[in-house]
Amino acid sequence: MHVAVIIAAGGKGTRLGASRPKQLIEIDGQPILQRAVAIFTSHPEVSEVVVVLPADLAAAPPAYLTNTPPVGPRGDHASVTIVAGGAERQDSVANGFDAVRDRADVVVVHDAARPFASADLVSRTIAAAVRTGAALAALPSSDTVKLAAAGRDLDAGPRVERTIPRERIYLAQTPQAFRTGVLRDAIAAGRRGMAVTDEAALAEYVGHPVELVPGEVTNIKITTAADLRAARALAGGGRTESRMRIGTGYDLHRVIDGRPLVLGGVTIATDRGLDGHSDADVLSHAVTDAILGAVAGGDIGRHFPDTDPEWKGASSLAMLRHAVGIARERGYRVSNVDAVVIAERPKLAPHVDAIRERLAAELGVDAGRVGLKGKTNEGIGEIGRGEAMAVHAVAMLIEDSSEEP
Ligand code: MG
């Protein structure tokens, strides 16, 4: 059996608001289009793939479409042909159909914006088309479905006309597959002016039975920025490390008489505090360095030199806030922070919650995302003798995708 596939990638993807066609946007390092094409070039039942692109892209197609595709499981590979699309989706599919070789028994139509269709779904859709003549992947509705009344009051939302039994509701996806003659009839109907959003509707319109094949929840269509975020999460299989950055920070200050002790912006009543310019807040300094480190943004000495009048005498919390701002400019927000304060005295425990709250407010997170532990140095070394206080901190930052794409 000769199976041809038409990939509809002729759209401009303006709904995504991106500056380039949405099919070229990368998901986990691979363009959406490349992912969609690979579903079929690597599928053992597929012999040829026709990719329909916008005219400008068809004239200068991406290299991954023109290079010889990888050899498939049967030791051969599907050929790839590129054609220019038309004004509407159905015109593009018609152009693609014209390029399909005459010996095709079954023609599959797939949307380039659905890069996660499984090989199994493709096989099941092809098998159903052979059986019935036409078939499409479709998802049973899990939500209750309301039919809205025609027309609407301008001052209110649409009104429900009635509730439709959801057992009979399926949401159309692609792939859609057809015996070649059935698709030929359907496309002819489209050329006579029947306007639809998918080819299965044309087949239905000309009177061919169309079989519903259980679709896949993961076979999403990438249309909005929210879809793109979901697609990136899917492509990672829940793996998110590419969107996370971790940083470490360390600081140490001398303990001297007659100075206030400020930790994380909280002043602790004691007769011995930390030496250093400004408030010598050793904890805020370590956390600031951890945040700067996570975005490879240099260190506290570079951003806040003691010689700079802007920062001379500034609160260390202001520096921390500035570091959070630097991370935000680079597209990251704080996910969580953890720190260890190493000091012989005073006891940290009574102050831990107040400090966590204070730091959390500057970091823009809940206090539940700020860890803080006190530890002594068991009387050993400078810290053990009470001459110094040190802090180790780590910060996890996450890519802030609220502005995507
Ligand atoms: Mg310091």
Side-chain angles (χ1 to χ4, degrees):
M1 187 170 67
H2 184 104
V3 175
V5 177
I6 299 168
I7 296 188
K12 297 280 187 210
T14 47
R15 267 193 286 176
L16 260 179
S19 52
R20 55 188 169 154
K22 75 173 173 191
Q23 56 271 39
L24 301 187
I25 292 174
E26 288 184 8
I27 292 175
D28 209 15
Q30 212 180 13
I32 294 171
L33 176 62
Q34 184 176 11
R35 288 173 173 273
V37 171
I39 296 167
F40 300 97
T41 51
S42 65
H43 196 287
E45 295 172 49
V46 173
S47 302
E48 63 170 312
V49 177
V50 177
V51 183
V52 189
L53 297 175
D56 51 346
L57 208 52
Y64 51 78
L65 292 182
T66 50
N67 293 342
T68 308
V71 174
R74 288 184 309 177
D76 55 4
H77 55 72
S79 65
V80 175
T81 309
I82 294 164
V83 302
E88 300 295 334
R89 178 205 150 85
Q90 69 187 75
D91 306 317
S92 293
V93 172
N95 289 1
F97 186 70
D98 290 340
V100 167
R101 273 178 262 156
D102 289 339
R103 64 172 183 273
D105 303 296
V106 169
V107 181
V108 177
V109 178
H110 188 68
D111 240 314
R114 292 189 192 270
F116 299 119
S118 73
D120 178 60
L121 180 59
V122 173
S123 296
R124 287 186 286 116
T125 310
I126 291 170
V130 169
R131 193 161 56 226
T132 309
L136 75 148
L139 210 54
S141 172
S142 55
D143 296 323
T144 299
V145 181
K146 307 287 183 186
L147 181 70
R152 58 187 287 184
D153 184 339
L154 279 181
D155 297 328
R159 301 266 175 92
V160 172
E161 184 172 297
R162 63 190 165 89
T163 299
I164 299 172
R166 74 166 178 219
E167 302 73 36
R168 298 185 59 191
I169 299 294
Y170 286 80
L171 308 174
Q173 302 185 331
T174 66
Q176 306 192 344
F178 309 85
R179 287 204 289 255
T180 305
V182 173
L183 186 58
R184 188 177 292 115
D185 291 349
I187 285 174
R191 282 182 169 142
R192 288 193 300 271
M194 174 74 187
V196 292
T197 52
D198 69 358
E199 286 58 48
L202 287 174
E204 177 194 342
Y205 174 72
V206 296
H208 284 286
V210 180
E211 183 172 334
L212 292 161
V213 175
E216 295 166 340
V217 177
T218 48
N219 182 22
I220 60 169
K221 185 174 186 180
I222 302 168
T223 305
T224 65
D227 298 333
L228 188 58
R229 282 195 290 279
R232 286 180 171 148
L234 264 177
R239 186 168 53 78
T240 49
E241 75 270 21
S242 61
R243 322 196 66 185
M244 290 182 150
R245 305 288 290 266
I246 193 163
T248 177
Y250 169 79
D251 198 22
L252 178 143
H253 281 247
R254 266 175 211 284
V255 175
I256 57 166
D257 289 325
R259 283 270 299 182
L261 174 61
V262 181
L263 288 177
V266 173
T267 303
I268 295 169
T270 166
D271 52 353
R272 283 166 70 77
L274 298 178
D275 192 17
H277 77 288
S278 80
D279 55 14
D281 183 342
V282 63
L283 173 57
S284 293
H285 294 177
V287 173
T288 299
D289 257 355
I291 289 166
L292 292 172
V295 295
D299 65 17
I300 197 165
R302 193 184 109 199
H303 289 280
F304 315 103
D306 358 6
T307 51
D308 185 340
E310 187 191 343
W311 296 107
K312 196 170 171 58
S315 131
S316 297
L317 284 184
M319 299 182 197
L320 178 59
R321 209 177 305 141
H322 191 76
V324 170
I326 289 169
R328 190 173 299 128
E329 280 166 21
R330 297 181 184 206
Y332 290 89
R333 62 182 162 80
V334 174
S335 176
N336 75 297
V337 161
D338 186 27
V340 188
V341 176
I342 310 166
E344 288 306 295
R345 67 192 76 80
K347 283 217 168 303
L348 195 63
H351 311 287
V352 160
D353 287 342
I355 294 171
R356 289 173 56 227
E357 294 282 352
R358 196 76 184 83
L359 285 176
E362 299 300 339
L363 298 169
V365 298
D366 291 335
R369 289 177 174 267
V370 179
L372 182 61
K373 294 98 67 188
K375 206 148 187 72
T376 73
N377 217 39
E378 298 287 341
I380 296 165
E382 296 84 352
I383 296 173
R385 289 193 297 273
E387 296 166 14
M389 202 177 271
V391 175
H392 294 273
V394 288
M396 174 77 87
L397 272 57
I398 189 158
E399 205 176 292
D400 191 350
S401 53
S402 55
E403 300 301 318
E404 277 186 56

